[in-house]
Amino acid sequence: MFDLRDLYQQVIVDHNKSPRNFGKLEHYNHEADGYNPLCGDKLHIYLDLDEQGRIADVSFEGEGCAISVASASLMTEAMKGRSMQEMQAMFEAFQQMVTADIAEAPDDDTLGKLAVLAGVREFPSRIKCATLCWHTLKAATEDSGKVVKTE
Ligand code: ZN
């Protein structure tokens, strides 16, 4: 039988083992640091916004648990070419997905592959691991210069 949970697990393991968009971008105009003290996850996001304010490129460095690395890997993949409005909409949809109490199927049209992280809602301590990269990306777009902390 096809087990959806196994598939989710495989994608997370794969993105943790070989994270996409890992490393410093050659050209970037925004960056930010994120830290989740609860788990020890640390991320640095490099962001290249074009003149229209779209995400031309995005990458990350850092270390953390499998969920934080896989989430950052999946997020950077999903964010290329997105406008700020699209980024914000996906951030909100993602947050809703991982904090929903009801086990409803995530809206694949909005989140695409990111839906594999829906399972973290069963592990409340892991929600911050999954959302750290999003908060850090947002901070990079705002150039706050502060380290984003989940606590
Ligand atoms: Zn973590």
Side-chain angles (χ1 to χ4, degrees):
M1 236 195 61
F2 179 72
D3 191 338
L4 205 55
R5 196 172 285 230
D6 275 358
L7 176 71
Y8 287 180
Q9 199 69 40
Q10 276 172 28
V11 175
I12 291 167
V13 168
D14 173 45
H15 276 262
N16 178 49
K17 267 193 189 159
S18 13
R20 319 303 196 263
N21 309 304
F22 191 86
K24 194 174 175 175
L25 285 181
E26 229 173 277
H27 301 285
Y28 63 92
N29 42 31
H30 301 267
E31 59 185 317
D33 280 306
Y35 178 45
N36 173 17
L38 218 62
C39 182
D41 309 317
K42 281 181 186 166
L43 289 178
H44 190 90
I45 298 260
Y46 298 97
L47 177 66
D48 186 23
L49 292 183
D50 68 16
E51 279 139 40
Q52 286 80 43
R54 280 187 179 267
I55 298 176
D57 211 352
V58 56
S59 75
F60 75 103
E61 280 180 335
E63 49 189 47
C65 67
I67 297 290
S68 68
V69 172
S71 183
S73 173
L74 284 157
M75 180 195 77
T76 52
E77 243 187 2
M79 281 303 113
K80 287 191 193 182
R82 301 280 182 180
S83 67
M84 289 299 100
Q85 290 93 319
E86 286 171 326
M87 186 270 280
Q88 185 62 35
M90 284 181 84
F91 184 17
E92 278 163 26
F94 186 81
Q95 268 192 316
Q96 256 168 31
M97 176 183 78
V98 294
T99 55
D101 328 326
I102 36 163
E104 64 186 18
D107 182 352
D108 280 14
D109 287 345
T110 316
L111 288 169
K113 249 167 123 186
L114 296 170
V116 299
L117 287 158
V120 293
R121 65 177 157 219
E122 289 169 48
F123 309 94
S125 63
R126 287 310 173 98
I127 292 168
K128 286 173 177 161
C129 303
T131 54
L132 177 66
C133 57
W134 289 92
H135 290 291
T136 311
L137 175 64
K138 203 147 180 269
T141 66
E142 289 160 1
D143 281 326
S144 70
K146 288 182 194 147
V147 177
V148 179
K149 278 193 186 172
T150 52
E151 291 303 304

